[in-house]
Structure formats: structure tokens, C-alpha cells
Amino acid sequence: MAKLLIKNGCVWDGERFEKVDILINGQTVERIEPTIAETADTVYYADGKTVSAGLVDAHVHMRGISADRYGIGVDLSCIPFGVTAAADASGVHGDRVLLDSFTVKNTVFVCADIRDNRADLTKAEEMLIRYGDKAVGIKVYFDTVVSEVFDSEPLRQICAFARAKGLRVMVHCSHSPTPMSEILEALSPGDILTHAFHGGENNAAEDGFVSMKQAQSRGVVIDVGFAGNVHTDFGILRRAIEAGVIPDIISTDVTKLSTYTRGGRYGMTMCMSIAAAMGMSVEALFRAVTSHPATALGKAEEWGYLKVGRCADLAVLAYTDEGFDLTDRAGNRIKSKRGYRCVLTVADGRVVYQG
């Protein structure tokens, strides 16, 4: 089995930063030590760079899994950005064999419909059977533009269904018909609120983020769900961070509509760069793309950490002249000449991207 030695990087293991070397033997992390002198088939020098546990994107739309309008080639939209595991946020095709063919490790949230202000779980039931243990939760479009919804009753119906199945719920809350507090009251610990910092009516800032703070304290997971400049109001996100509401998760919501139209080549590294510019600490930032989403997806034993004996999934990131320029729908512009760029992705001990 080939050995890969990564030296001189600042390593994020999912919990902390440490200046250590990493030796990968085959698919497994064999050693993590301050200095490793062992001969290896390949030696990669990561001076001045961050060597992170493989990034985890908790909200993407995969071609052949999500609706055809949104699905994108998952390996090409994840691997070059350091993402080694991802969750499709609303699987409607039921193609388990396709999921197993991807390099990116994966799970699925199946989609629950809302029709005439009632939960329609017929399709969700079918998809749960077809995806089997790949399905970790239910995705809800609590959105008056997408669903026939005008109050929180169908959301409560879907949450009760998910709890009975032992699943988590992910709620898309843009264009919500109710105040944010009503959505959060319906959610249980482990459920995920995505697009949590959207603008417009019924946003999180309307009560000074009080309901969001309370929900977060009882275990509801707060996901930015950037979607570039579509479902995130940069002004609200900045105010939340200043108020001490730090997102648990950063996800891309990348689709085939967004990959080249969000201020450059859109992916997880751009989302990280935006969050850093908004004031997230580097520790909070890296938790939000590794250990926190892995835990939220029920995959912390497999994803989101660099540990001896575990599968070797990692990303090497440089903070360099990878700029971006985005203006959200409220007219808030954020730009920078610098940002994160992935220079190496390793999945199952194999180099799958080098840039």
C-alpha cells in the first residue's frame, strides 16, 4: 500500500490546530506526530498551509439525486474545494447505486411535500425505502414560493413523522409564512435550520436573534446554507455573528445554477472566505465545515476528524489571492482579494485533487 507523508502544515483535526506531520498508509491515517521522518512514496510539504480533516458540506444538490433543475456533478463541485463528504438536500430520484458510485462520501435528506397546507409524505416514504441507510433525514421547503404553505401545521406534521422514524429534519426557511420563532419551536435537538440568515420577512433578526439563540442552546443546528447571494443576507449574518450567534454549520447549497454565477468559481472555500470576512474565528470556521456538520449528519465516527486509525480524508488549504465579489439581494456587497483555496484533497488515502 502506498504511503503519503504530509509535513510542516498547521493541522486541524476537527477539534484543534496543531503543528504536526501526518503519515497515511493506504486508506488509513497511521501516524500524527510533531515530526515524522519515515520514508514515504510521496511527501507533500504543507508549509504555511492548513491541513484539515476532509470538509463536510451538509447541503448540496447532486445530479441524479436532487431534482434535475438543480443537480450538479457532485465530485466536481466538491473535491476541488476540499469537500470529501456531503449530504444531498432533497433526494427525489431514489438512485442508491448512483450514490455509491461517487468519490464523495454521502448521505441524503429526502424531500417532504406540502400541498394545500398539509404534509404529503407519500414520496418521502418511497424515497426512504429506496435510499435505505443513506437517508438521514427529511428536507422541508417551508417556503411560500415553493410550497402551498401558510402556517406551521404542516411543518409540525413532518417533524412528528421524522421523530417517529428516528430521523432529523432540515428546514429551508426562506420566504417563510411564519416568524422564525415558530419554525424553531417546532424543531427538536439535532434538527437543522438552513438558510438561517435569509433576508426579507420573518428573518432571524426581527427578534434580535433571541429565538435562534434559545434554539441553538437546546441543540437545534443553525446552518448558513449560503447559496451564494440568494438565500443569505450578508447584513443579517454579520449582525448575528456580532450578537454572538455563531453558525454551527457552513454549507454551500451548490447547484448547477450557481457554480459559475456566484462571484467566481463557487464552492465551499468561497463560503469559508465569506464567513471569515464576516468575523467568524478560524476555529469556529473550521468546526463549521468539519466536525460540526459530521455530527449533525450522524457521521462523526466516520467524517469530519483527522485521527490515527481512521480513514484518510483531508484537505490542504491555502489562504491566498483567491478573491471573491458578491452582492446579495438586499444590496449588501462583500468582496476580498484574499480567501481560502484548496491545493490538495485526499479521499480514502488517495490524492484526488491537486491544484
Side-chain angles (χ1 to χ4, degrees):
M1 293 188 293
K3 289 187 177 182
L4 169 63
L5 177 59
I6 300 176
K7 293 187 66 67
N8 305 337
C10 181
V11 173
W12 172 257
D13 66 3
E15 298 173 338
R16 64 184 64 83
F17 287 104
E18 231 180 336
K19 188 80 174 191
V20 289
D21 295 346
I22 299 173
L23 179 66
I24 296 167
N25 188 355
Q27 294 185 334
T28 306
V29 177
E30 186 172 90
R31 295 166 61 188
I32 300 177
E33 299 171 11
T35 303
I36 299 176
E38 185 170 334
T39 300
D41 300 276
T42 304
V43 180
Y44 184 92
Y45 291 94
D47 302 71
K49 301 177 178 66
T50 300
V51 182
S52 173
L55 309 186
V56 180
D57 193 341
H59 186 161
V60 303
H61 291 277
M62 304 174 187
R63 181 182 299 140
I65 307 300
S66 272
D68 296 339
R69 180 184 178 191
Y70 299 112
I72 188 171
V74 65
D75 286 344
L76 289 177
S77 61
C78 288
I79 294 293
F81 301 94
V83 174
T84 58
D88 183 277
S90 63
V92 296
H93 286 301
D95 194 336
R96 171 66 185 259
V97 173
L98 181 60
L99 280 177
D100 290 337
S101 74
F102 298 144
T103 298
V104 173
K105 296 176 172 68
N106 51 72
T107 57
V108 176
F109 287 85
V110 306
C111 189
D113 295 320
I114 301 177
R115 307 180 194 279
D116 194 23
N117 205 52
R118 292 187 59 81
D120 181 349
L121 296 161
T122 307
K123 184 73 171 180
E125 290 268 26
E126 178 190 346
M127 291 299 104
L128 287 173
I129 293 169
R130 292 177 66 178
Y131 283 121
D133 61 3
K134 285 282 188 180
V136 297
I138 310 293
K139 170 73 176 292
V140 187
Y141 287 95
F142 195 65
D143 181 328
T144 56
V145 175
V146 179
S147 301
E148 297 171 354
V149 58
F150 55 77
D151 64 28
S152 60
E153 181 55 30
L155 175 59
R156 295 181 187 279
Q157 294 168 2
I158 293 165
C159 287
F161 171 83
R163 283 193 288 273
K165 297 281 188 180
L167 299 170
R168 54 191 53 77
V169 175
M170 177 185 280
V171 181
H172 161 124
C173 63
S174 299
H175 310 112
S176 163
T178 72
M180 185 75 76
S181 58
E182 284 195 33
I183 301 173
L184 292 166
E185 286 168 4
L187 301 185
S188 299
D191 290 340
I192 302 168
L193 183 75
T194 193
H195 309 315
F197 305 99
H198 72 80
E201 192 176 3
N202 295 321
N203 68 67
E206 291 178 348
D207 68 354
F209 305 102
V210 170
S211 60
M212 186 169 284
K213 286 180 182 178
Q214 291 172 344
Q216 202 172 29
S217 69
R218 61 183 178 83
V220 174
V221 179
I222 303 302
D223 173 30
V224 178
F226 266 108
N229 54 354
V230 176
H231 290 300
T232 301
D233 183 306
F234 298 144
I236 289 175
L237 176 57
R238 188 187 297 277
R239 286 166 59 191
I241 293 170
E242 290 171 351
V245 179
I246 308 302
D248 298 298
I249 294 177
I250 291 170
S251 70
T252 63
D253 188 22
V254 66
T255 72
K256 72 179 184 182
L257 305 177
S258 65
T259 187
Y260 291 108
T261 61
R262 299 290 187 265
R265 182 72 167 89
Y266 180 68
M268 182 61 87
T269 48
M270 182 184 286
C271 293
M272 293 172 67
S273 302
I274 295 168
M278 292 285 181
M280 281 186 72
S281 72
V282 66
E283 292 83 2
L285 179 64
F286 274 85
R287 285 192 194 95
V289 296
T290 57
S291 51
H292 278 185
T295 300
L297 296 171
K299 294 291 185 177
E301 295 301 313
E302 304 170 53
W303 306 346
Y305 291 88
L306 267 177
K307 293 184 179 182
V308 171
R310 288 182 58 154
C311 192
D313 295 335
L314 61 85
V316 180
L317 304 177
Y319 194 75
T320 183
D321 55 350
E322 189 79 1
F324 61 90
D325 189 345
L326 282 170
T327 301
D328 67 22
R329 287 180 170 178
N332 300 300
R333 184 180 184 187
I334 182 166
K335 63 177 181 175
S336 175
K337 293 181 179 179
R338 293 179 62 78
Y340 287 99
R341 178 167 65 90
C342 179
V343 296
L344 188 78
T345 306
V346 175
D348 292 322
R350 181 169 59 95
V351 174
V352 290
Y353 173 80
Q354 188 164 359

